[in-house]
Amino acid sequence: MTGKSSNRAPADGAGKDTNIIRGGRFGADPCELMQEINASVDFDKRLYVHDIAGSKAHCAMLVSQGIISEKDGEAILDGLNKILQEIGSGQFTFKRSLEDIHMNVEARLGELAGEAAGCLHTARSRNDQVATDFRLWVRDAIDGLDEGLKNLQSVLVDQASAHAGAVMPGFTHLQSAQPVTLGHHLLAYVEMFGRDRSRLKDCRRRLNECPLGAAALAGTSFPVDREMTARALGFDKPVANSMDAVSDRDFALEFLALAAILAVHLSRLAEEIVLWCSDLFAFARLPDTLSTGSSIMPQKRNPDAAELVRAKAGRVIGSLNALLVVMKGLPLAYGKDMQEDKEPVFDAADTLALSIAGMGAMLRDITFRPERMRQAAGHGHATATDLADWLVRALRVPFRRAHQITGRLVTRAEQKGCRLEDLSLDEMQQAEARINDGVFEVLGVENSVKSRQSYGGTAPDRVRSAAAEARKRFLE
């Protein structure tokens, strides 16, 4: 075809049905119940920016390939720009009778561009159109979440640097285990969120292939240039198989899977904040602006922001399960079942964005109580491992025997109601005669954390260097 050709439908059409989706095939409009089941514009209208971007790229390609005329292409692009402005300013009227964002845009385009609007859908189906829009939306959501996580990591690194030497109890089984530093504890979450960002990057790379041009499922007989539309929309390349292009939702499932893992990480950190802000722990205090009260108990300061972040993990995990169930039994290629793909993804992305912002605000404004944490770090004979290690290192005692000796000394300290470092040398020598004064150099929580000099350990100087290294890896 030449650049002057036109691909318009006959003006008279066939039948009385004027709905642009149903064409002349049906003798009656869908009933109210069918419209209620079928309509998706209430939620998929948020794809409007991506839908119009895809339509612009498709239109430019059709003109470039001589499939539609330049005049029709100009009318289409002018109309699309007008629609973009209308929706953005809230002046656009969405109609549920038109089912979705795609048909709402196309119907309005017909009002603005006349018959030229009918050329836009040449060599395109809603199947490849929605797959393209959805990938574009998820790609933007990934970029937004990555930026949010980067900001959260920045807050964590700042707090870790400020509290590199603040001793606190480290727990296993929520029982006092070994002393650590608050900075070391916070940097663990920096690493977790770093892996989340890596998963976001991987998902983005895999989804960045363009379905546009696959049409309904079999490709098209028009001489389209799929490479051109892919480049115009920032994709790396077109999807290689037309059936896969319209039926694939791996990118949405992968996004929800990484979203679920990220939500779990946020939930674990939120749980720590809830514990730390409790009266029994009293390791930290959230500001009034991020706390709530009780309707009956005047004294309460509830860490509800953290509790809600913790709870929202279930919501995101549910979104993953929902889409897995939708997709598990679908034959190729497209089924209307796949209309159910967007709400779980939209909700998960919105939920995570809010949770990440909330977590950043909490950690930015939280007040830690180092003295209280240090006091708690000495509970439960948390330096027992240091004593066992000293026996191995200084006296060459096999570790299993050192473990037994230390266990007897812990029992003795419990009987006396004192700490291990408060036992006398004579009492220690009753468990192992070769113990000498050097043992007291490793006992005590400060001595314990200072000794943990291994790579990734909790020694304050290690934490400071780890925070600096994390800042380079994740934030620069």
Side-chain angles (χ1 to χ4, degrees):
M1 292 187 178
T2 67
K4 296 180 180 179
S5 66
S6 178
N7 188 32
R8 296 177 178 168
D12 56 348
K16 296 180 180 180
D17 194 338
T18 58
N19 187 303
I20 61 174
I21 308 166
R22 295 165 72 84
R25 175 67 178 84
F26 298 89
D29 288 336
C31 68
E32 184 177 342
L33 176 59
M34 183 59 199
Q35 290 188 42
E36 185 67 25
I37 294 173
N38 199 38
S40 62
V41 69
D42 292 342
F43 56 84
D44 67 19
K45 61 187 178 184
R46 69 192 296 173
L47 294 173
Y48 79 92
V49 170
H50 309 92
D51 189 70
I52 292 173
S55 290
K56 286 182 176 181
H58 185 65
C59 177
M61 183 275 297
L62 292 176
V63 171
S64 176
Q65 293 297 102
I67 299 172
I68 68 173
S69 69
E70 292 183 6
K71 180 179 179 182
D72 286 346
E74 289 174 1
I76 290 168
L77 291 175
D78 287 345
L80 290 172
N81 286 326
K82 174 66 173 175
I83 294 168
L84 185 64
Q85 185 274 328
E86 288 178 349
I87 298 177
S89 63
Q91 298 175 339
F92 189 92
T93 300
F94 291 99
K95 299 176 182 178
R96 301 188 84 224
S97 61
L98 293 172
E99 297 184 7
D100 56 34
I101 181 60
H102 324 294
M103 293 298 100
N104 270 267
V105 169
E106 186 171 332
R108 177 59 176 148
L109 184 62
E111 296 172 354
L112 294 171
E115 285 191 339
C119 301
L120 177 59
H121 212 54
T122 306
R124 185 178 73 171
S125 164
R126 274 193 296 176
N127 295 355
D128 61 336
Q129 185 180 1
V130 67
T132 302
D133 295 355
F134 199 18
R135 285 180 186 241
L136 289 171
W137 191 94
V138 173
R139 192 174 69 185
D140 283 351
I142 285 173
D143 292 343
L145 290 176
D146 181 73
E147 186 63 27
L149 282 174
K150 182 179 179 181
N151 292 336
L152 177 54
Q153 285 180 302
S154 179
V155 174
L156 284 164
V157 170
D158 288 345
Q159 289 283 27
S161 298
H163 297 93
V167 180
M168 68 176 293
F171 299 99
T172 61
H173 310 276
L174 205 56
Q175 305 293 314
S176 184
Q178 293 178 319
V180 296
T181 63
L182 175 58
H184 188 61
H185 194 124
L186 296 176
L187 286 178
Y189 286 100
V190 174
E191 296 299 323
M192 292 160 74
F193 295 133
R195 293 192 295 275
D196 291 320
R197 292 181 65 192
S198 178
R199 279 183 281 269
L200 284 166
K201 181 179 179 181
D202 288 344
C203 180
R204 193 189 197 283
R205 175 177 56 82
R206 270 185 288 276
L207 74 77
N208 208 37
E209 297 181 1
C210 185
L212 203 57
L217 75 161
T220 177
S221 59
F222 290 96
V224 296
D225 184 347
R226 294 189 62 204
E227 294 282 354
M228 178 180 175
T229 49
R231 287 193 302 271
L233 294 170
F235 288 108
D236 296 327
K237 59 183 178 179
V239 177
N241 181 280
S242 62
M243 293 185 74
D244 183 49
V246 300
S247 60
D248 167 49
R249 291 299 184 271
D250 286 2
F251 65 93
L253 289 169
E254 185 173 0
F255 174 77
L256 289 175
L258 69 86
I261 297 172
L262 168 55
V264 168
H265 290 163
L266 289 166
S267 179
R268 295 182 73 178
L269 180 51
E271 169 66 6
E272 306 248 45
I273 291 175
V274 171
L275 289 173
W276 293 346
C277 290
S278 69
D279 288 338
L280 295 178
F281 273 74
F283 290 176
R285 182 184 177 94
L286 286 174
D288 290 349
T289 54
L290 292 169
S291 302
T292 63
S294 165
S295 65
I296 189 173
M297 295 170 284
Q299 82 281 9
K300 294 295 292 297
R301 296 183 80 261
N302 299 325
D304 282 2
E307 291 174 11
L308 288 167
V309 169
R310 181 176 62 184
K312 288 180 186 297
R315 186 167 174 167
V316 177
I317 293 167
S319 293
L320 170 61
N321 289 337
L323 188 53
L324 284 169
V325 173
V326 167
M327 298 301 299
K328 72 173 183 63
L330 293 188
L332 298 180
Y334 182 82
K336 199 61 180 276
D337 314 55
M338 292 163 70
Q339 183 169 286
E340 295 296 316
D341 59 358
K342 294 166 199 64
E343 287 185 284
V345 171
F346 292 163
D347 188 73
D350 292 346
T351 298
L352 285 176
L354 181 60
S355 296
I356 291 169
M359 186 60 69
M362 283 186 280
L363 287 168
R364 188 177 298 108
D365 295 334
I366 197 169
T367 300
F368 291 107
R369 294 172 166 173
E371 267 309 306
R372 170 60 186 159
M373 288 190 289
R374 186 206 167 281
Q375 181 184 21
H379 294 169
H381 308 293
T383 58
T385 304
D386 298 278
L387 174 55
D389 288 348
W390 183 86
L391 291 170
V392 173
R393 189 169 55 250
L395 304 184
R396 303 297 182 187
V397 174
F399 182 80
R400 282 300 165 207
R401 182 162 171 259
H403 191 283
Q404 294 172 348
I405 294 168
T406 303
R408 289 197 293 269
L409 290 172
V410 167
T411 299
R412 177 59 179 158
E414 285 183 342
Q415 291 170 345
K416 290 189 64 177
C418 69
R419 299 172 300 175
L420 278 172
E421 57 265 40
D422 295 328
L423 292 175
S424 67
L425 179 60
D426 182 64
E427 288 173 309
M428 290 191 177
Q429 289 175 338
Q430 292 177 25
E432 167 53 59
R434 291 182 294 161
I435 294 177
N436 56 57
D437 286 338
V439 71
F440 295 104
E441 295 177 5
V442 301
L443 297 180
V445 293
E446 284 85 1
N447 290 334
S448 175
V449 297
K450 287 178 183 178
S451 72
R452 304 293 172 178
Q453 291 286 343
S454 60
Y455 178 78
T458 194
D461 55 347
R462 275 290 186 184
V463 173
R464 293 184 187 95
S465 62
E469 191 269 339
R471 194 179 300 278
K472 290 180 181 178
R473 267 193 299 146
F474 297 122
L475 306 178
E476 295 181 359

